Amino acid sequence: MTAGTAGTAGEKDGVIVSVTGLAAAYRVRGEDSPALAGVDLRVDAGERLGIVGESGSGKTTLALALGGMLPRSCHLSAGRIESCGTTVRGAGGETADAAQLRALRRERIAFIAQDPAASLDPTMRIGRQFSLAMRAQGTPMTDAAIDEALAAVRIERPDEVRRLYPHQISGGMAQRVAIAMAVARRPQLLIADEPTAALDAEVRTEVLGLIVRLAEEHRITLLWVSHDIPAVRRWCTRAVVMNEGRIVEEGPVGTVLVEPEHAYTRQLVNALRAEGTEGDGR
Ligand SMILES: Nc1ncnc2c1ncn2[C@@H]1O[C@H](COP(=O)(O)OP(=O)(O)OP(=O)(O)O)[C@@H](O)[C@H]1O
Ligand SMILES: [Mg+2]
């Protein structure tokens, strides 16, 4: 059964993502292992939302669910997901069909994966994969336009980088290429799942700043999954904290990540204070 496209009502209201009562579990050796236990989430156009929480709390599962990108081993047992005007899952369990999901992922949502270098094709020069990705979406780009997109993520000599293979560039550079490709598609929603975990601190700060700047410039709503609380505080407008498959706290970053109410969030923030990293990057 197909849920269909919800039209533009959500967009008019400025609601980019609306999730209610979402429950998900992975099938592991014949047993259900819960990953989301009733998540309600709304993301408005123009927000930069940080999703934080300890490892295994369900952040990636939630992010993937928004694009209908969960692996087969994960099934949704309850809840509704509306992303960028598409009903990915209706309250009755009906789901968008493959064509609708493809359109959603091609035209409105872009993901930057945890290890963007791995998402590049090792057998193809950077410029060629960039141009194929854009052509698949129906908006081909000239080499000059690709160079401009690479320059926008502060890649020097983009015309040279365009001719290289992924193994010939550094991790930081691969990250920039992945960001450039994601942003060039002009999505409504950019989901970045810890895009910087593999980078050293200096490059990380710069890359995060770039994502935020590009998102602002092109009016892209940003949903950013991260363990880096100081960075979320610096760059995001709102934060949600997840714990054991639930959102336990949410609000403006200046409240949630500075004076948290929930014991779990306090523990996260206090751990940073104890490390002396609390003020980093502010
Ligand atoms: N492919 C999978 N198969 C089985 N269980 C999984 C799979 N992916 C995630 N899980 C489980 O689902 C729960 C939520 O995982 P998820 O990856 O969403 O957490 P996360 O918050 O993104 O963690 P991290 O910060 O480590 O990336 C965890 O208990 C995890 O072990
Ligand atoms: Mg994760």
Side-chain angles (χ1 to χ4, degrees), residues 26 28 33-35 53-61 71 73 114 194 227:
Y26 288 91
V28 183
S33 161
E54 71 181 18
S55 188
S57 56
K59 304 181 297 294
T60 296
T61 305
S73 62
Q114 204 147 344
E194 300 195 281
H227 285 273

Side-chain angles (χ1 to χ4, degrees), residues 44-60:
D44 291 334
E47 277 198 289
R48 294 192 301 276
L49 178 72
I51 300 186
V52 303
E54 71 181 18
S55 188
S57 56
K59 304 181 297 294
T60 296

